[in-house]
Amino acid sequence: MTKATRNGITFPLPVLQGILPFKRSNLPTEILAGLTFACLAIPEVMGYTKIAGTPVITGLYTILIPMALFAIFGSSRHLVVGADSATAAITASALAGMAVSGSSEYLALASLLALMAAVLLIAARIIGLGFLADFLSRTVLVGFLTGVGIQVASGEIPGMLGIEVPAHGTTAKLQGVAEHFEQFSWPTLVVALGVLAVVTGCRRLSRKIPGPLIAILGVILCSWAFQFSGAGIAVLGAVPSGLPSLSIPAVDWSWSLFKQLLPTALSIFVVILAQSAATSRAYAARYEEKFDENSDLVGLGLANLGAAFTGTFVVNGSPTKTEMVASAGGRSQIAQLTTVAIVLVVILFLTGPLAYLPNAALSAIVFLIGVKLIDVRGLANIYRQARSEFWIAIATAAVVVFVGVEQGIIFAMVLSLIDHTRRGYHPKNSVIVENKVTGWHSKSIDHPNQFEPGLVIYRFSHSLYYANTQRLSDEVATITQGADHKLSWFCIEASAIDDVDFTAGYTLRNVHQYLQSKGIKLVFLLVEPDVRAELDRYGVTDLVGKDAYFEFGSELLEAFHHRTGREHGTQSASGKP
């Protein structure tokens, strides 16, 4: 929690953690960063409405009340909360068959999803579920966002060609383009290509140039001057101005509707958790600052409440928007509040010219957003460094593209959990042996595997739980059956074990019984206090005895020599693993 100083008194504040402490000398830079971000974000969020299937004005609403609420109640000084392509795509995927895209009923359902996501985020803060953010690995997140990028970019091809395709889904839309190619409009394509050229050209000159804004303003001016609508180029038409009205989503409040939307809300919840937490961590580390995940959960929850009650769709912490503000010099939420003020002016006084904006121009902006999400470089790095994880990322992307965004995020979560279980199921265990020069070191479980005649020190390199207990039993049997000398003691070096579940406790009792039948004593080295408490509770300590636990290697060797009547060199007796 941020601490502020007023009149020489320091006290904690539950709000404004992303703003305080603040230096007045930084104010001009923050305001300029907010202005720059507004120029970049306004056309972008208007494009997100095409992904979400909501009216254009709702994109501006996402960077009004929601962004202000996170700036006040969140803890991250850098995270930008607003419309996001991933959550917009999930929303559209879920609502496609429930209402007509762009209708009031559709918008009410989108707002209800924002409300459900808000409840889940605040509940996660109350019951401590912030750790769920870690259940989307970087690998599957790259694959998921790449799949979203392919789906978003390909979905805008009909709009850039002037072809109306009512179908949903990547393959269906591309098939629709082929079937209705006779609708192709050269003027519409020229507009789209012009916007693409201006945006990419500005980006190559300098990323600080607001290419999307220049393109949008230019094409609106041309549309007004040359009457694009008369040339067969579809335009947005009248866009309402004024502040959003505060209201509860106008839906049929029934349990069946909640059950239908709950899987989508959970998918959105997980994406918000993973993407926002990862972005906040990255920027806090970059600028050597602290942030509170719990406060961010509250801020994100309140931001989505703001979205739900102002008639717009889900908002999320955006890595791309956060980088926009950071690269423009923003170092606190003051920049985001400046953007809110600028958007407020646009909503109140400047929506009239938007009526001349060609639909193809927005399609081109969204197409570039999708292309930017396709992380070819990230996939190439994964391929070079972790080949098996690369195929996980590709599989995730394929599910998003060919099945759906919502199914893709569920698939990504399942793959992440399977990958985590796989690593724990197959830990790289070893035995500790003695080297006369370097002391203790680990080696693979093969011959010779005894630290000294009669003593094996076996290192288990993961938490002990139901999925890997059979591996423990098998390796204990392998070591004892292949021993070069008759074993007296079998020591489990437990420094890497931070948890033992019920099944593992049962297995350890069986391991003790197996070793005891062979006349081998089971002992433990470097057991954490919490793990020792679990072994006590599972009855393992009652079997092996309280004297079977050792804190240092020297204590273990001294007890072993005393028990077996051996003499050993000074170096071994003083060694530590």
Side-chain angles (χ1 to χ4, degrees), residues 183-218:
Q183 298 177 10
F184 169 72
S185 167
W186 273 109
T188 301
L189 178 60
V190 169
V191 169
L193 292 177
V195 171
L196 292 176
V198 171
V199 175
T200 54
C202 290
R203 188 180 297 169
R204 288 194 174 188
L205 289 174
S206 172
R207 290 189 175 273
K208 293 185 178 181
I209 298 176
L213 183 66
I214 293 172
I216 291 297
L217 291 177

Side-chain angles (χ1 to χ4, degrees), residues 454-456 476 479-481 483 485-491 511-523:
L455 172 65
V456 162
V476 169
I479 292 171
T480 54
Q481 290 171 6
H485 302 275
K486 179 175 174 55
L487 284 177
S488 301
W489 280 24
F490 191 102
C491 174
V511 166
H512 170 267
Q513 185 177 0
Y514 166 78
L515 292 173
Q516 190 177 48
S517 69
K518 290 180 170 293
I520 303 171
K521 179 177 176 62
L522 175 63
V523 297

Side-chain angles (χ1 to χ4, degrees), residues 55-57 235-241 351-357:
V56 171
I57 193 65
V235 296
L236 286 181
V239 176
S241 61
T351 58
L354 293 177
Y356 295 97
L357 178 64

